[in-house]
Amino acid sequence: MKLQRHGVALAIAAAGALLLSACGSDPTTTASGSSSAATNSPAVDCSGKQSLNAEGSSAQKNAIDVFTQAYQAKCQGANIAYNPTGSGAGIKQFTAGLVDFGGSDSALKESEAQAAAARCQGNPAWNLPLVFGPVALAYNLDGVEKLTLSGEVAAKIFNGTIKTWNDPAIAALNSGVNLPSTPINVVFRSDESGTTDNVQKYLEAASKGAWTQGAGKKFNGGVGSGAEKSAGVAKAVAGAPGSITYVELAFAQDNKLGIAQIDNGSGAVVLNDESVGKAIEAAKIKGTGNDLALDLNSVYGTTAAGEYPLILATYEIVCSKGYDADTAKAVKAFLTVAATDGQANLAEAGYAKLPAAFQQKLLTSIQAIDSGSQ
């Protein structure tokens, strides 16, 4: 797994070329060369409706593009229209019955789960974590190519306690680095975002009490300036020296931002394939049955050497039952392809492939979605 980004268009084109070449292969196998692919992938039923609508997390938009290429290669004429309006909007549109599934960077809260069950004809909605990726503490600071932050220092930056780049707390983590006295400009997501929720949960878990602002999809730090969606915050930081934000790796790389190492208590951890892979393997499932909602607190608060603590799991929010037959077939087909063939080129788009054991759990849940009624 290489968490490198060479441009979404190239990644998608590569995905299409690879998968189209495999279109005539046995549908029970995944694209060759994927070390994390399930050994017995289920067949894909392409007889459902041709067009799916989904909305939500902007963090997973580029992964959905890759999945769509794989889906179209497997199911001729099929398509999915995904609107990256943010996790909050995605959940609202799903619970309102306006889209077939929602994308969210956080599992449903109790109140959201009740609304989702009502939309699913009284049946529970499931949280299916399909896309994993690291969140970067991304910065724009002239002359500083290597920067280390800790959970405690990051919390104090994002709540305004630390105001300048040469603050002694930052300097203590960056011996030999010439830190300027430039004021720190925090850039945060102005829209409701599961990325914000996850980052604030990380700050709660890793800051040794420095973050008291709580979590949630709205930024609670009380400082800085807002920008919409992942692309917006990354672009804002790129245009403003002295700025810092939290954003998914792909967007940080696209905008050529600096990416801080995180000292989790056992030394500075570089954001790379190995450190992210360790974090994914450590993630715990808190959902029951086929609901795969994750408890990432143990990852956020980790002190394990070499484990990057700030990862994001993006969910597809689906009805366990309550779809009509054509929609159910299409949802299952898309998710099955995404979890198998669609994993082949995720690393090139800045995401992490599903570990094999977790992939099998996910496929079990996808196949358990009720096939619907005619």
Side-chain angles (χ1 to χ4, degrees):
M1 178 173 65
K2 296 180 181 179
L3 293 176
Q4 298 177 351
R5 184 171 176 79
H6 304 293
V8 176
L10 290 177
I12 294 174
L18 173 63
L19 292 164
L20 284 169
S21 68
C23 190
S25 62
D26 183 348
T28 65
T29 60
T30 58
S32 61
S34 175
S35 61
S36 63
T39 55
N40 294 298
S41 301
V44 177
D45 181 355
C46 298
S47 65
K49 69 178 185 180
Q50 287 194 317
S51 296
L52 286 170
N53 290 301
E55 185 167 342
S57 165
S58 60
Q60 69 169 2
K61 173 59 168 65
N62 296 331
I64 294 292
D65 288 341
V66 174
F67 296 157
T68 300
Q69 290 283 337
Y71 182 45
Q72 291 173 332
K74 185 71 72 175
C75 296
Q76 302 256 331
N79 187 45
I80 175 169
Y82 185 82
N83 191 6
T85 54
S87 298
I91 290 173
K92 290 175 182 176
Q93 293 291 85
F94 174 74
T95 56
L98 299 177
V99 294
D100 299 312
F101 65 87
S104 177
D105 303 336
S106 299
L108 294 172
K109 296 179 180 178
E110 184 176 350
S111 60
E112 293 170 335
Q114 292 175 353
R119 177 257 194 270
C120 297
Q121 309 300 317
N123 302 289
W126 289 341
N127 303 278
L128 302 183
L130 183 62
V131 180
F132 285 87
V135 177
L137 298 181
Y139 65 94
N140 177 356
L141 193 57
D142 291 341
V144 179
E145 296 183 0
K146 182 178 179 181
L147 180 72
T148 298
L149 300 174
S150 65
E152 181 178 4
V153 168
K156 290 180 179 179
I157 289 173
F158 285 108
N159 67 17
T161 304
I162 292 177
K163 301 180 183 300
T164 61
W165 282 107
N166 65 346
D167 186 280
I170 301 178
L173 293 168
N174 293 275
S175 178
V177 178
N178 184 20
L179 295 167
S181 59
T182 307
I184 297 173
N185 175 43
V186 170
V187 178
F188 59 88
R189 286 282 293 270
S190 59
D191 54 320
E192 286 195 356
S193 165
T195 307
T196 298
D197 189 25
N198 279 270
V199 168
Q200 292 184 139
K201 287 176 180 176
Y202 160 71
L203 295 176
E204 280 186 314
S207 68
K208 300 178 180 178
W211 184 264
T212 60
Q213 286 71 33
K217 292 184 175 69
K218 292 184 178 180
F219 179 69
N220 300 324
V223 295
S225 56
E228 286 193 0
K229 303 183 179 62
S230 300
V233 294
K235 183 177 180 180
V237 171
S243 297
I244 187 170
T245 192
Y246 52 88
V247 71
E248 297 76 28
L249 174 64
F251 293 93
Q253 291 177 326
D254 272 354
N255 287 274
K256 298 179 172 56
L257 302 179
I259 297 171
Q261 301 177 65
I262 295 181
D263 189 334
N264 67 3
S266 296
V269 180
V270 177
L271 196 171
N272 61 23
D273 55 348
E274 182 179 1
S275 62
V276 173
K278 287 182 178 180
I280 294 173
E281 290 175 356
K284 307 296 183 183
I285 294 175
K286 66 180 180 180
T288 58
N290 289 307
D291 178 20
L292 301 183
L294 299 173
D295 180 3
L296 295 179
N297 285 335
S298 60
V299 175
Y300 294 150
T302 186
T303 57
E307 188 175 307
Y308 186 81
L310 188 46
I311 65 171
L312 181 69
T314 299
Y315 299 89
E316 312 315 325
I317 311 299
V318 303
C319 289
S320 60
K321 185 177 181 180
Y323 290 123
D324 63 80
D326 282 345
T327 300
K329 289 176 183 178
V331 168
K332 292 174 72 171
F334 173 75
L335 295 178
T336 299
V337 173
T340 53
D341 292 13
Q343 297 293 303
N345 291 303
L346 276 185
E348 292 300 320
Y351 302 94
K353 293 181 183 178
L354 294 172
F358 189 87
Q359 184 185 44
Q360 291 286 9
K361 293 178 182 178
L362 183 60
L363 286 169
T364 297
S365 294
I366 293 169
Q367 294 308 303
I369 295 172
D370 188 89
S371 295
S373 56
Q374 298 291 346

